[in-house]
Amino acid sequence: MANSDTPFGFKPVKHLNGNPWNGKTNVYYIPSTDATATFRGDAVKSAGAATADGMYPTVAQAAATDTIRGVVIGFSDTPYINVNQDNLLENYRAASVARYAFVVDDPDVIFEIQEDSVGNSITAAMVGLSTDIVVGSGSTATGLSAMELDSSDTATAAGQCKILRAVNRPNNALGDHCKWEVLIIEHEMRSSTDV
């Protein structure tokens, strides 16, 4: 059976030591001057500033080859997990709207992500190699990111993510749109990309 083509960006699944992901995040800020919409599952990078009180560093959506700060899993109009009373269905950050972002910034978290399958598909021989991400337009309906692994960019040289293994699930198989477990190795909180 063919894999479904359902990009969702990065989804945290566990820690490098095998423990389940514990749900921990840190709060960052995306100012209204950022004109790029941001979605749950998007990788973000530091934007070089902070809120006026200095408590919440700014982030912006990461692109291929950027060093990554972490992955956004939610948004709020306050620095606390809170429902936006003005829009109960808000599940992404619209362009040019200030929002706090809840970011998984632990460099030892393993994520699940779909490959883009453009040019070729990732094979079993590519496990252990590195690759970059491909940025797409996220879904305003689901709030999910469209980021995927660049399947035609795998190499032994540096890349943003190290391919660890195919996700072990009955509805996932090698080939187009396979879901993979990866570790972000070009991470701002790592001193080196070597893992």
Side-chain angles (χ1 to χ4, degrees):
M1 184 166 107
N3 297 316
S4 58
D5 182 9
T6 53
F8 48 83
F10 289 87
K11 181 169 64 173
V13 291
K14 61 184 173 183
H15 289 274
L16 190 56
N17 66 7
N19 285 329
W21 177 59
N22 58 15
K24 298 292 185 183
T25 63
N26 280 307
V27 182
Y28 290 83
Y29 186 70
I30 305 174
S32 61
T33 54
D34 185 327
T36 302
T38 316
F39 298 85
R40 291 180 290 119
D42 273 356
V44 291
K45 62 182 179 179
S46 291
T51 52
D53 58 11
M55 296 175 102
Y56 305 104
T58 56
V59 290
Q61 186 185 71
T65 74
D66 283 339
T67 302
I68 296 170
R69 181 62 176 216
V71 173
V72 178
I73 63 163
F75 303 94
S76 179
D77 53 359
T78 72
Y80 312 101
I81 296 177
N82 189 24
V83 174
N84 180 357
Q85 298 297 322
D86 296 327
N87 183 357
L88 297 177
L89 301 177
E90 182 178 56
N91 56 11
Y92 72 101
R93 180 204 154 261
S96 303
V97 174
R99 286 290 179 265
Y100 293 89
F102 303 101
V103 177
V104 180
D105 60 2
D106 182 342
D108 290 332
V109 171
I110 294 172
F111 295 89
E112 179 180 334
I113 187 170
Q114 176 178 286
E115 67 173 276
D116 71 344
S117 302
V118 174
N120 63 275
S121 294
I122 297 173
T123 66
M126 296 174 183
V127 169
L129 297 182
S130 299
T131 191
D132 286 327
I133 58 173
V134 174
V135 179
S137 297
S139 169
T140 58
T142 65
L144 292 178
S145 170
M147 287 187 176
E148 297 179 278
L149 282 183
D150 188 344
S151 62
S152 60
D153 190 41
T154 57
T156 54
Q160 290 167 302
C161 300
K162 182 175 285 291
I163 302 165
L164 300 179
R165 63 182 58 83
V167 172
N168 185 4
R169 212 172 29 235
N171 62 350
N172 189 52
L174 293 178
D176 289 354
H177 313 300
C178 185
K179 281 56 170 183
W180 293 92
E181 287 185 7
V182 300
L183 184 68
I184 297 171
I185 55 172
E186 288 183 351
H187 196 291
E188 292 178 14
M189 306 302 278
R190 285 192 188 285
S191 60
S192 167
T193 57
D194 296 331
V195 176

